[in-house]
């Protein structure tokens, strides 16, 4: 059975693929997993969707980790203050945020990665709120891991899901 192993720690034979939806689909359709394993394997039809969901969850988990470490801020005023203090490494906007809401924050400063991720309800669940539109994550190791996961997720999302990766 083919199982996504994002941590690369599960026992068994591993297959390395580029983190892109079209690559995973092509490998599944061409039966590349069975050829690489040199035996019959079961590959779920929705493997690419499962991987995308796992990567999206990892991004939200990294934001949650940053929040618990005091390195993430949500809400327009807190995000704007963190941007003004030059403490932000990643600026996350909900995919369902209005253009007006994004425009109010202004341009993203150089060196800050801008992400469009999930929806306001999912971002809100990280902060124990109903809905959150803007999140800022401080520079540092957690921020770096979030960017890495977001770049991997970018290959599995349709246009506009993760959005602008500077």
């Amino acid at each position: 059975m083919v199982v996504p192993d994002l941590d690369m720690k599960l026992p068994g034979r591993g297959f390395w693929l580029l983190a892109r939806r079209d690559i995973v689909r092509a490998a599944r359709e061409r039966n590349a997993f069975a050829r690489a394993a040199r035996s019959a394997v079961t590959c779920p039809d929705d493997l690419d969707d499962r991987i995308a969901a796992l990567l999206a969850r990892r991004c939200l988990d990294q934001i949650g980790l940053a929040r618990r470490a005091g390195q993430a801020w949500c809400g327009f005023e807190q995000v704007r203050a963190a941007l003004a203090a030059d403490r932000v490494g990643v600026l996350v906007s909900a995919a369902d945020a209005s253009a007006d809401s994004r425009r109010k924050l202004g341009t993203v400063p150089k060196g800050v990665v801008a992400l469009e991720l999930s929806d306001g309800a999912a971002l809100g669940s990280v902060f124990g709120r109903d809905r959150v539109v803007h999140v800022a994550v401080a520079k540092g190791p957690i921020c770096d891991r979030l960017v890495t996961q977001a770049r991997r997720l970018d290959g599995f999302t349709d246009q506009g899901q993760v959005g602008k990766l500077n």
Side-chain angles (χ1 to χ4, degrees), residues 40-110:
V41 296
T42 305
C43 185
D45 291 337
D46 63 343
L47 180 64
D48 53 335
D49 292 329
R50 290 182 187 191
I51 294 171
L54 287 169
L55 289 170
R57 182 74 245 162
R58 285 179 145 234
C59 288
L60 292 173
D61 289 346
Q62 288 299 314
I63 294 170
L65 183 63
R67 180 194 62 82
R68 290 186 300 278
Q71 298 176 9
W73 307 275
C74 70
F76 178 78
E77 291 299 326
Q78 287 187 0
V79 169
R80 193 170 71 178
L83 283 168
D86 193 32
R87 300 188 317 187
V88 178
V90 173
L91 179 63
V92 181
S93 295
D96 58 355
S98 69
D100 185 49
S101 173
R102 294 169 203 247
R103 185 181 46 75
K104 285 181 183 176
L105 274 179
T107 58
V108 177
K110 190 172 181 95

Side-chain angles (χ1 to χ4, degrees), residues 2-8 10 15-28 33 43-60 117 148-158 162:
V2 175
V3 177
D5 180 20
L6 301 181
D7 287 329
M8 299 172 278
L10 290 177
F15 306 107
W16 296 83
L17 296 174
L18 191 60
R20 286 193 2 221
R21 184 180 296 271
D22 59 331
I23 300 290
V24 173
R25 279 185 183 163
R28 183 181 48 78
F33 295 112
C43 185
D45 291 337
D46 63 343
L47 180 64
D48 53 335
D49 292 329
R50 290 182 187 191
I51 294 171
L54 287 169
L55 289 170
R57 182 74 245 162
R58 285 179 145 234
C59 288
L60 292 173
L117 185 66
T148 299
Q149 296 304 321
R151 289 192 190 284
R152 291 170 76 188
L153 176 60
D154 197 40
F156 283 89
T157 56
D158 299 326
V162 172

